Amino acid sequence: MNSIFRAAGLAAALLLAGCGTLSRPPEGVVRVAPEAVIPTADPRIVASDAGPVRLLERQIMGEPGQGPTAILALSGGGANGAYGAGVLTGWTLSGRRPEFRIVTGVSTGALAAPFAFLGPSWDPQLAAAYSDGGAKDILAWRQLATFASPSLYSSSALRKLVDRAVTPQMLTAIAAEHGKGRRLLVATTNLDSEETVIWDMGLIARQGGPQGLKLFKDVLTASASIPGVFPPVLIAGRAKDGRIIQEMHVDGGVNTPFLAVPESLVLWSRPAGAVGAGSIFVLVNGQLGRRDAVTAGKLTAILKRSYDSGSKASTRAHLAANAAFAQRNGLAFRVAAVPDDAQANSLDFSEAAMRRLFDLGREQGRSGKAWGDWKPAEAEKAAATGLIVIDAPPARR
């Protein structure tokens, strides 16, 4: 009976949220308020521009003395991000975790990306963020938004998580790594332009101060803000004509489930004779296989089933495209995902559920079972069966 009331309450909240609005100036043009964050150097890269090609081509090719590039891409997946956090900490315990030159994050992956970028010494903070129960209030009923809100839930609990995780000390450490040539990238979706925006978080960290700290937090919050569930984040920027505009940013997963190879780079090929192959690791905070089940005729069940089906299909398609890029350019391509037989729910932020997934990920990361190959030649078969194609990667020393 309690579930019936919950479903009815959720449906009512959805209808009420549909009446909410978010006040914006005409054409997005704003007068700069004292608290507006306008970065001194624009950290935005639009995924369809040539910028990512030049940036990542240089990173992938490697510069003299750098050696092969290792890229880590953390996907979205809500509460399933606990699995990815566990994999990373278990990978540290195995003694085989590489230092990644590029770390990227989308949605829940964006929240974990700064810890992953800073490496094993930040594992305790990463583990705490996903396994100490701090996320249990994100979708609590007391977080339901007001009638005037454009979302079902308030983002206050999400912002508290970000505020607790992101400190001036973290930004100082990220800025130092950025100075060494490493890159931390986070993706959001700009609803105004319908484009993926890649944020150079190291550049924001180098700006520092209260404004840099606020922008860093705003980007992470935006990347995890599922449209309709959480309100969008308005971020000030400068248009080509010099005007200050207000961009509406939401979950990066709207356009891309993970960020390994940006849109403008997918068809790129390494110049003939070039050397410096590396590896791409994609950590999928979710399951990839299809699962037959009778969908209950309730709003909540229909919405959840639709979201799961769409996100899995999108992730498999992106994996196939990225794997083809890696094969064409001589990069190893490794994938980790929540096992299909595991109990996982992207909307279950309870401490027990997230701890269970974290422990599973940590054990698989420690034992080496988490990572496998995704072969482009078998991508069609994988898409048809919903099964990830896994070969055990060779041990790294």
Side-chain angles (χ1 to χ4, degrees), residues 44-85:
R44 289 164 246 233
I45 304 169
V46 178
S48 60
D49 287 348
V53 176
R54 291 192 297 271
L55 169 67
L56 291 181
E57 178 182 347
R58 190 166 61 251
Q59 293 288 334
I60 291 170
M61 291 289 293
E63 296 179 5
Q66 283 187 336
T69 294
I71 300 171
L72 174 65
L74 306 176
S75 85
N80 292 336
Y83 174 80

Side-chain angles (χ1 to χ4, degrees), residues 244 275 287 328 351:
I244 303 302
V275 295
Q287 295 166 318
R328 190 171 64 250
E351 182 175 357

Side-chain angles (χ1 to χ4, degrees), residues 79-83 127-140 142 161 164 343 345-360:
N80 292 336
Y83 174 80
Y130 281 91
S131 64
D132 69 354
K136 67 180 183 299
D137 291 332
I138 285 182
L139 295 183
R142 59 181 171 273
L161 278 179
R164 186 175 66 173
Q343 185 179 349
N345 183 343
S346 62
L347 299 179
D348 187 353
F349 288 91
S350 67
E351 182 175 357
M354 294 187 71
R355 183 74 207 190
R356 182 175 60 249
L357 275 177
F358 177 85
D359 290 342
L360 172 62

